[in-house]
Amino acid sequence: MLTTPRKLVYCILVTLRYAQAIGVSVPFIAPANAPRVSGSLISLSLEQDRWTDWVGTTSKNDFFLNTLDNLLQLTGEPTQIRIGANSEDHTNFNPAIQFSQTTFPAVTSTVPYPEATNITVGNGYYQAVQFLPNGTHVIWGVNFGANNITAAFMETRAILQAFSSPAVRNAGIILDALEIGNEADLYPNNGLRVKGFSLAEYIQEWTTFASNVSATASISRTSHTKFWAGSFAGSSHSTSGFSPQALFSNGLLSSASGPLISTFSQHHYSGSFCSGSGGLLQDLMTKATIRSNLTIYAPDIIETRAKGLDYLLGETNSYSCHGAPGVSNTAGAALWTLDYALFAAQLNISRVYFHDGVGFKYNLIQPVTLTRSILDGSTLATPLAAHVQPQYYAAIIAGEAIGNSGTTQIAELSISNARLAGYAFFEHSRLARIILINSDAFFQGATSRPAIHVDFSFVGGTPDSQITVKRLNVGHADDVTGLKWGGQTYETPDGRVAGDLSVQTSTVAAGVDIQSTEVVMILFT
Ligand SMILES: *[C@@H]1O[C@H](CO)[C@@H](O)[C@H](O)[C@H]1NC(C)=O
Ligand SMILES: *[C@@H]1O[C@H](CO)[C@@H](O)[C@H](O)[C@H]1NC(C)=O
Ligand SMILES: *[C@@H]1O[C@H](CO)[C@@H](O)[C@H](O)[C@H]1NC(C)=O
Ligand SMILES: *[C@@H]1O[C@H](CO)[C@@H](O)[C@H](O)[C@H]1NC(C)=O
Ligand SMILES: *[C@@H]1O[C@H](CO)[C@@H](O)[C@H](O)[C@H]1NC(C)=O
Ligand SMILES: *[C@@H]1O[C@H](CO)[C@@H](O)[C@H](O)[C@H]1NC(C)=O
C-alpha cells in the first residue's frame, strides 16, 4: 500500500524520535581531580543603582528574600551577593542622604531599564544589607572610576559601619571582600581614564586606593574581609594587556596591599547582541559554545590558583544590552545557565555570579513590580508584579544537584553528542546524582520534538538498581513562563514553590529518555 507523503513524513519523524541511543559511562567513585562544588555556585551580582529595590529600605523585600531562602534551604549555603558593577563607578556618598538618590538617562527600546549615571548614597543604603538571609557572604564595590579617593573612602567607611552594626552582625552577614572599581580595562573606552591607560598605571592607582580602603576597613592579613582583584571585562590571557597573568607579572601581589587579595574576579558575557532570534538562542545554548567560551580561561585559572588565590566569574550573563530580547529571558537561557555554571565548576571556577538589575532581560529574579516591558520599554497595560524568570530554575536545579552534604564534587560526563551534556555529583566520594541537559532548542511552532535515549554503564562500583527521575518541563525553548521542575512552579506571587511534586521511579537498567530542551536529574539511593 502506498503511504501518503504526509504519513511517510510522520513515519520518518517517529523513527527519528527514537533513533538516537547513547551509552554514557559514569564513575561510581569521584575521580581524584573532581572539584568540590559550593552550594552557592550560582550566586548573584546586582547592579548597585537599585540595590534597595532588591533588598528593601525600612523593611525587607519579602519576594526577593523568599527566592534566596528557597536556594538556601536546598544547599544550606546562602547565595553570595556581589553589589556593584557599572554603577559602582558612578556612586558617591553623602551622609545627608538616607538611602540613595539617582539620576537615570532616558529609556530606549533597546535599554528599557538603563543604569543610573549618578548615584549618591547614604548610610541607610549600606545598612539595608541587614535584610539578607542569615550567613550571607557579601562583596561590595567602591568607586574607582571617578578617581576620587574621598568618594571611595567615604563609601568604605559607611560599609564598615554597616557591617559592624549589631543588626548585621546578629544576622551573621559577612563582608567577604571589597572590590575597587568595575571593569577598569574598559576605562580608556568609556571616558573614566585617558586613552592608553595601561595596566602599570592601573596597578599604581589601585594600590593607592587599596592602601586607603584597607586602612579604613581594617583589612589585614588576618581579617576575614579581603580584596577581589581584577573584575576586568576581558582577559588578554597573557602578561601584556589586562589579565591575571599581567597583574601578577607587574607586581600586584608584591605591592603593600597584595597580600590582602583573596580572589581574582573575571567578568564574562557570551557576546553582544541587542536583538534576539531563534538562531541566537540556539547558539547560546549550544554545548560547544559554552565550552569554548569558558575553556579560554583555563590558563588564567591555573595561574591564579598557583598563586593561592580563588578564581571566579564575579559578573556574568548571556548577552550585553542587559540581555537579548526573546533569548536571555527564555526557557532556553535556563538550560544555558545550568550548563554554563556546571561547566565552570568543573574548570575550577569556584562561583558564578549572574548579573541582575531591576528590569534587565537576563535576570533570574525581578524583585519589584515593573511598569515597562523589559523587551522594548513600552508601558505595560497591567503592571507586572515581582516574579522569577526562567533562569531561576537553573539555580534551583543546581542547588538540588549539589545538595547540602558540604562534600559534593562534580565531574562532567564524556558524552559524544553535540546537544547532550551531563554531570555527575558525588557526596562523600560516592555517586549521588546525575544531571543531563539536552540543549537542542525546541521552538514554538516546531512539530517534532526529538528525544535521546541514554543508557548508563558504571565504572568502579554499581549503584542501587532503583533510581528517581526528576524533569524540568519546558513548553518550548522560547517560552518565557510556565516552566515546571518536578511538576512544581516558582512562578508564584511570593516566590515560593507551588504544586505537587512529580517524579518517576525507575531502574538504572531502563535508562532515560531526554527530549529537546529538557533537563533530567537522576537520583541514586
Ligand atoms: C550627582 O548627584 C548629586 C546629588 O544629587 C549632585 O550633587 C552631583 O552634582 C551630581 N553629579 C554629577 C556628576 O552629575
Ligand atoms: C583616605 O582618604 C581620605 C580622603 O582623602 C582621607 O581623609 C583619609 O585620611 C585617608 N585615610 C587613610 C588611612 O589614608
Ligand atoms: C569627591 O567626592 C567627595 C565626597 O563626596 C566630594 O565632596 C567631592 O566634590 C568629589 N570631588 C570631585 C572632584 O568630584
Ligand atoms: C544567625 O545564625 C546564627 C548561627 O546559626 C545564630 O546564632 C543567630 O541567632 C542567627 N541570627 C538571626 C538574626 O537569626
Ligand atoms: C562564545 O562563543 C561564540 C560561538 O563560538 C562566539 O561567537 C563568541 O565570540 C564567544 N564569546 C566569547 C566572549 O568568547
Ligand atoms: C582543577 O584543580 C584540580 C586540583 O588542583 C586539578 O587536579 C585539576 O586538573 C583542575 N582542573 C582543571 C580543568 O584545571
Side-chain angles (χ1 to χ4, degrees):
M1 197 191 90
L2 271 177
T3 329
T4 64
R6 204 189 165 90
K7 268 191 184 152
L8 189 62
V9 168
Y10 182 70
C11 285
I12 292 167
L13 288 178
V14 168
T15 316
L16 279 178
R17 270 194 69 154
Y18 298 105
Q20 267 187 305
I22 295 179
V24 174
S25 168
V26 182
F28 184 67
I29 303 294
N33 64 353
R36 280 284 179 100
V37 56
S38 154
S40 57
L41 170 68
I42 296 189
S43 278
L44 289 177
S45 160
L46 300 181
E47 192 63 54
Q48 81 166 15
D49 53 356
R50 298 183 65 171
W51 154 244
T52 51
D53 284 9
W54 287 89
V55 75
T57 49
T58 51
S59 65
K60 64 181 178 168
N61 176 351
D62 284 319
F63 182 86
F64 178 50
L65 274 298
N66 287 347
T67 63
L68 294 182
D69 186 58
N70 295 335
L71 298 169
L72 172 57
Q73 287 188 23
L74 296 174
T75 67
E77 218 179 292
T79 307
Q80 295 205 358
I81 310 285
R82 175 245 185 184
I83 309 149
N86 189 43
S87 48
E88 143 187 353
D89 282 323
H90 300 276
T91 302
N92 208 321
F93 184 84
N94 180 347
I97 287 169
Q98 189 183 8
F99 297 108
S100 64
Q101 251 178 35
T102 38
T103 311
F104 287 97
V107 169
T108 67
S109 58
T110 41
V111 188
Y113 288 85
E115 292 156 23
T117 45
N118 181 8
I119 307 106
T120 313
V121 301
N123 284 306
Y125 171 89
Y126 294 110
Q127 188 65 39
V129 79
Q130 71 190 46
F131 297 132
L132 288 176
N134 196 339
T136 301
H137 292 246
V138 174
I139 302 89
W140 221 312
V142 298
N143 191 332
F144 182 56
N147 214 354
N148 177 347
I149 201 159
T150 310
F153 160 72
M154 292 175 89
E155 289 170 17
T156 303
R157 204 172 48 177
I159 291 170
L160 186 75
Q161 184 181 318
F163 280 85
S164 36
S165 71
V168 175
R169 290 168 72 110
N170 292 343
I173 294 165
I174 302 151
L175 183 63
D176 265 14
L178 290 174
E179 169 186 281
I180 301 175
N182 175 70
E183 301 183 353
D185 52 331
L186 299 185
Y187 287 176
N189 312 333
N190 62 25
L192 292 175
R193 292 293 186 280
V194 296
K195 294 265 175 240
F197 179 60
S198 70
L199 184 91
E201 289 166 305
Y202 167 79
I203 291 179
Q204 194 187 5
E205 292 180 19
W206 187 91
T207 50
T208 303
F209 272 62
S211 145
N212 186 299
V213 169
S214 58
T216 307
S218 303
I219 298 175
S220 70
R221 287 169 188 260
T222 56
S223 62
H224 177 82
T225 305
K226 292 283 191 301
F227 286 117
W228 274 14
S231 307
F232 297 149
S235 172
S236 62
H237 313 293
S238 74
T239 53
S240 57
F242 285 76
S243 70
Q245 292 88 330
L247 286 178
F248 304 148
S249 70
N250 281 275
L252 179 75
L253 298 181
S254 50
S255 73
S257 297
L260 311 181
I261 296 169
S262 62
T263 301
F264 180 84
S265 166
Q266 178 68 53
H267 294 186
H268 177 76
Y269 289 86
S270 301
S272 176
F273 292 95
C274 296
S275 63
S277 66
L280 189 60
L281 177 55
Q282 177 65 81
D283 285 352
L284 178 71
M285 293 166 68
T286 292
K287 191 176 162 185
T289 311
I290 291 170
R291 276 136 192 85
S292 61
N293 272 210
L294 288 174
T295 49
I296 50 168
Y297 294 104
D300 301 31
I301 298 164
I302 290 165
E303 291 269 351
T304 301
R305 296 208 172 273
K307 300 289 184 196
L309 303 182
D310 200 6
Y311 184 100
L312 42 79
L313 296 181
E315 182 186 319
T316 193
N317 217 316
S318 52
Y319 293 120
S320 58
C321 280
H322 302 156
V327 176
S328 303
N329 56 313
T330 67
L335 272 63
W336 167 77
T337 302
L338 185 63
D339 195 12
Y340 182 78
L342 297 179
F343 189 75
Q346 64 86 50
L347 275 183
N348 289 330
I349 294 173
S350 54
R351 216 167 271 104
V352 181
Y353 297 73
F354 285 88
H355 192 53
D356 281 29
V358 171
F360 293 0
K361 293 176 271 284
Y362 51 46
N363 276 15
L364 281 69
I365 302 156
Q366 296 292 0
V368 290
T369 299
L370 302 178
T371 55
R372 289 194 296 281
S373 160
I374 64 168
L375 302 180
D376 61 12
S378 59
T379 301
L380 296 170
T382 329
L384 195 53
H387 60 281
V388 301
Q389 300 203 145
Q391 282 176 282
Y392 182 73
Y393 288 90
I396 291 287
I397 295 169
E400 278 189 40
I402 296 163
N404 63 7
S405 74
T407 67
T408 306
Q409 289 169 274
I410 187 171
E412 189 185 14
L413 300 172
S414 166
I415 302 180
S416 56
N417 181 288
R419 296 293 186 215
L420 190 67
Y423 300 88
F425 297 81
F426 305 87
E427 285 184 354
H428 304 287
S429 297
R430 278 178 56 127
L431 180 65
R433 287 170 288 277
I434 288 174
I435 289 273
L436 296 174
I437 303 165
N438 184 339
S439 57
D440 183 40
F442 175 68
F443 291 110
Q444 293 170 22
T447 47
S448 91
R449 188 166 192 173
I452 299 172
H453 180 77
V454 180
D455 286 310
F456 299 104
S457 60
F458 298 90
V459 181
T462 315
D464 230 55
S465 60
Q466 289 281 311
I467 55 170
T468 303
V469 180
K470 190 169 182 182
R471 293 171 188 276
L472 178 70
N473 190 270
V474 167
H476 308 91
D478 43 350
D479 285 358
V480 299
T481 57
L483 289 77
K484 290 221 170 83
W485 170 233
Q488 297 180 301
T489 181
Y490 288 86
E491 296 160 44
T492 54
D494 61 0
R496 292 298 193 181
V497 69
D500 293 332
L501 179 66
S502 157
V503 295
Q504 294 94 48
T505 308
S506 183
T507 62
V508 177
V512 290
D513 287 341
I514 178 167
Q515 58 181 353
S516 293
T517 316
E518 189 175 37
V519 177
V520 171
M521 183 161 85
I522 295 132
L523 298 93
F524 298 93
T525 44

